[in-house]
Amino acid sequence: MVSYCRERLLPIADIITPNVKEASALLGGAQIKTVAEMRSAAKLLHEMGPRFVLVKGGDLPNSSESVDVFFDGKEFHELRSPRIATRNTHGTGCTLASCIAAELAKGSSMLSAVKVAKRFVDNALDYSKNMVIGTGRQGPFDHFFCLNKNLQSSRCSIFNPDDLFLYAVTDSRMNKKWNRSIVDAVKAAIEGGATIIQLREKEAETREFLEEAKSCVGICRSHGVCLLINDRIDIALACDADGVHVGQSDMPVDQVRSLLGPDKIIGVSCKTPEQAHQAWKDGADYIGSGGVFPTNTKANNRTIGLDGLETVCKASKLPVVAIGGIGISNAESVMQINAPNLKGVAVVSALFDQECVFTQAKKLHKTLKETTREM
């Protein structure tokens, strides 16, 4: 059976999605116990013929995360999410594959389809983790959890800190300068590699902002990328965004949480260890720290430098994304402070004050990947 799969099925497959045990069997019993070995396995499996390979790491030993490795023949993508402790895992592999197929039928790219599918399975597992059906060693999860009237069907309800990797913050003035809509800008950023989007539209009228936000939510959901709204809690609620980002002078985090509920993402701008600690106490999910370098995006914005960023990271109990004057030329130096909770960089002009958002996002994503791989 294994030889038949290798010789007849793999060469004609668009994508294969083996878990580590199945990948090992296809490779003649190769050891796969680390993410590095998963990457090697994905490459070897790709050489057998499929266009794409997703090696699933749900069974990876001694890991607090669920890490899947996606390989397209050129680039590796590590898709990470918190491991969910539950016995209700029966059917997860079939569900993932079916969801990928459904997303492809809707016109998604393969990587986007995989991201959406993984998030769906993560959400279903989280929703079903305490469900009890039967007495066997393994139970099923609820495939229809989205129909629960208390849930939003496509919300990114599980925050993954790794989504902060390439954090794109929009700017309406920059997009108008280059004669493009916010919707086109967001789509290009995601397709270039942005892993999370924040809509920061200071000059837009409320109705205009809401309509743009609704359109951007649709784009982000179709790509499995979270969308946050800067400051405007009302807009976030009205468009069902995945969360908000607030500053020190905006509504306090605990009040934001009471309005948005427990499942939405809340980020807070912090320049000091004290602010970072308060954000954690108030229930934020992550902090944005900066400005790291001088920037024209915000007037009178005090910079904290790399030393200040490192100080905040060391003090913070939350994931951190660096912001302020960051671009291709200095992103490497930011990530090289090598703080475990520094998850990525937030950029504005490096993407949106450029002629081609897609190209710049792709270049910056590549720079970040190469930097983090070397650390």
Side-chain angles (χ1 to χ4, degrees):
M1 178 64 75
V2 173
S3 61
Y4 184 89
C5 287
R6 283 196 297 252
E7 297 167 11
R8 303 293 295 275
L9 294 181
L10 267 60
I12 62 173
D14 283 325
I15 184 170
I16 60 172
T17 61
N19 59 35
V20 290
K21 293 178 181 178
E22 293 164 342
S24 175
L26 287 169
L27 294 172
Q31 175 178 286
I32 307 175
K33 294 185 177 180
T34 66
V35 174
E37 289 171 348
M38 289 174 66
R39 291 167 71 104
S40 297
K43 188 173 183 180
L44 290 171
L45 289 169
H46 185 269
E47 292 172 357
M48 295 181 182
R51 293 174 57 214
F52 302 92
V53 177
L54 179 71
V55 178
K56 300 176 297 188
D59 296 325
L60 202 65
N62 304 318
S63 175
S64 61
E65 294 181 304
S66 170
V67 185
D68 299 337
V69 173
F70 177 87
F71 183 58
D72 61 7
K74 294 181 180 179
E75 289 188 287
F76 290 97
H77 297 265
E78 293 178 11
L79 310 179
R80 297 173 179 266
S81 59
R83 184 180 294 277
I84 298 166
T86 178
R87 62 181 282 274
N88 297 323
T89 58
H90 184 69
T92 51
C94 295
T95 301
L96 182 82
S98 298
C99 191
I100 291 172
E103 288 300 312
L104 292 175
K106 289 157 59 178
S108 295
S109 68
M110 187 63 78
L111 179 57
S112 295
V114 168
K115 287 182 176 180
V116 171
K118 179 175 174 63
R119 194 176 296 279
F120 175 84
V121 171
D122 285 344
N123 286 347
L125 283 170
D126 186 61
Y127 177 79
S128 310
K129 61 187 176 185
N130 297 319
M131 187 171 67
V132 178
I133 296 179
T135 58
R137 185 174 63 87
Q138 189 181 36
F141 65 84
D142 187 353
H143 292 79
F144 299 105
F145 76 100
C146 293
L147 300 181
N148 185 308
K149 65 181 180 180
N150 295 318
L151 292 177
Q152 295 294 334
S153 63
S154 53
R155 185 171 64 216
C156 300
S157 61
I158 298 178
F159 172 57
N160 182 357
D162 289 324
D163 287 344
L164 301 174
F165 188 66
L166 178 49
Y167 187 131
V169 183
T170 66
D171 186 291
S172 57
R173 290 173 299 173
M174 294 176 186
N175 287 315
K176 287 177 182 177
K177 170 184 172 181
W178 293 100
N179 195 31
R180 58 179 168 246
S181 69
I182 180 63
V183 175
D184 289 340
V186 166
K187 187 172 186 291
I190 293 173
E191 291 177 346
T195 53
I196 192 167
I197 301 290
Q198 180 193 135
L199 293 188
R200 186 168 73 185
E201 300 298 308
K202 297 291 189 181
E203 299 179 355
E205 296 292 335
T206 296
R207 182 168 295 185
E208 176 190 4
F209 190 7
L210 177 57
E211 292 307 311
E212 290 176 338
K214 286 180 177 178
S215 297
C216 290
V217 165
I219 291 170
C220 288
R221 295 265 162 86
S222 69
H223 288 81
V225 171
C226 289
L227 179 88
L228 309 182
I229 304 294
N230 179 265
D231 296 350
R232 297 289 300 272
I233 315 302
D234 56 336
I235 297 292
L237 286 168
C239 73
D240 189 32
D242 296 298
V244 298
H245 186 92
V246 295
Q248 290 296 316
S249 61
D250 297 321
M251 185 182 294
V253 172
D254 55 350
Q255 293 181 28
V256 175
R257 178 64 72 197
S258 68
L259 290 171
L260 295 185
D263 294 330
K264 297 294 188 179
I265 301 167
I266 300 177
V268 188
S269 297
C270 299
K271 291 182 181 290
T272 68
E274 293 76 18
Q275 291 173 350
H277 182 69
Q278 189 64 47
W280 171 73
K281 283 180 60 178
D282 290 343
D285 293 293
Y286 76 91
I287 64 171
S289 189
V292 180
F293 304 110
T295 175
N296 294 324
T297 305
K298 275 192 173 183
N300 303 315
N301 185 33
R302 179 175 65 86
T303 59
I304 62 173
L306 292 174
D307 290 341
L309 174 64
E310 185 174 11
T311 299
V312 171
C313 287
K314 287 180 178 178
S316 177
K317 297 181 180 180
L318 295 173
V320 180
V321 60
I323 189 168
I326 300 172
I328 292 176
S329 64
N330 56 21
E332 182 177 358
S333 64
V334 172
M335 297 307 294
Q336 283 179 340
I337 72 169
N338 205 21
N341 58 341
L342 179 60
K343 297 299 183 179
V345 299
V347 293
V348 187
S349 57
L351 293 188
F352 298 111
D353 198 13
Q354 309 293 327
E355 182 175 5
C356 183
V357 175
F358 170 81
T359 300
Q360 295 304 313
K362 193 169 185 178
K363 287 180 180 178
L364 186 50
H365 190 275
K366 182 180 180 182
T367 297
L368 291 170
K369 284 193 69 175
E370 290 175 348
T371 301
T372 52
R373 190 177 299 155
E374 292 169 359
M375 293 190 308

